[in-house]
Amino acid sequence: MDRAAKKELVTTLNEVFKASNVVVVAHYAGLTVAQMQTLRRQAKQAGASVKVAKNRLAKIALDGTDAAIVAPLLKGPTVLTYSGDPIAAPKVVSDFAKANDKLVILGGAMGTTALNPDGVKALASLPSLDELRAKIVGLIQAPATKVAQIVVAPAGKLARVVQAHADKGEAA
C-alpha cells in the first residue's frame, strides 16, 4: 500500500469506529478463505461488517474514538467486526466461533465499555433489537386482546343460551 492509500484506510476506519456502537476483535489464524467469506456473508445478513486491517493502521484509526480501548488486543492476525446494532456483531462472531474453533474472540468495546470474551458472548446471548420490539408489541397487544375477549364473552354466552332455548323449543 502506498502512503495515500494508508491514509485513506485510516480515515475510513476512523469514521467506521466513530459510527459503530460495538467492535469485536478476534484472531482468525487458520481460517480458510471460504470460511472468512462465510463470516462476511453472515455478518452482512445480520447488519454487521467484517474488516481485516493491519494492526498498526487500525490502532491509528482507533485514536480519538470510543473503541480505542481495544487497541491492546490488536496483536497477531486479527479481524474486526463492527455494527451499529450493539447485538449484531457479537452474535455473528460468537455463532461463527462456536462452529469454527479457529476463530478466537479476544474481546471488544461497546461504546466506552471494554468487553472481555465472556462479555462479548453475553451480549450475543441477548435478543436482537427486532426481537425485543416484537416482544414489546406482543405485551402491549395481549391485554387489548384479553379485554376484547372479556367484552365479547357475555354476548356469546347469551347467544348460546338463546340458541339452546330455541333448540329445546323445536324438540318439544
Side-chain angles (χ1 to χ4, degrees):
M1 284 177 104
D2 64 337
R3 181 172 243 153
K6 288 179 182 179
K7 279 188 175 184
E8 184 179 328
L9 176 66
V10 167
T11 304
T12 305
L13 276 176
N14 186 275
E15 291 170 3
V16 164
F17 291 140
K18 285 181 179 176
S20 298
N21 288 332
V22 66
V23 177
V24 178
V25 181
H27 274 171
Y28 69 95
L31 288 178
T32 65
V33 173
Q35 290 170 326
M36 283 298 288
Q37 291 298 332
T38 303
L39 174 61
R40 291 177 197 274
R41 195 174 322 109
Q42 290 173 356
K44 187 175 181 180
Q45 289 173 349
S49 298
V50 174
K51 183 75 175 168
V52 175
K54 287 190 169 224
N55 291 336
R56 186 174 47 82
L57 296 177
K59 285 179 184 178
I60 294 169
L62 281 167
D63 284 341
T65 65
D66 289 343
I69 50 182
V70 300
L73 300 176
L74 297 175
K75 293 178 181 150
T78 55
V79 61
L80 301 166
T81 308
Y82 50 89
S83 66
D85 179 8
I87 307 298
K91 191 175 287 264
V92 168
V93 174
S94 292
D95 290 346
F96 193 81
K98 286 177 189 172
N100 299 290
D101 59 343
K102 293 183 179 171
L103 184 77
V104 179
I105 299 171
L106 300 176
M110 185 173 86
T112 58
T113 306
L115 300 171
N116 60 9
D118 293 331
V120 172
K121 291 174 185 171
L123 263 180
S125 67
L126 293 174
S128 71
L129 191 57
D130 291 335
E131 291 172 12
L132 287 174
R133 286 180 182 152
K135 286 182 181 181
I136 290 171
V137 168
L139 289 172
I140 291 171
Q141 285 182 339
T145 305
K146 289 180 182 176
V147 168
Q149 289 172 348
I150 291 171
V151 170
V152 173
K157 288 180 183 176
L158 182 62
R160 284 192 288 278
V161 168
V162 170
Q163 185 64 39
H165 203 62
D167 291 344
K168 186 177 176 184
E170 288 176 9

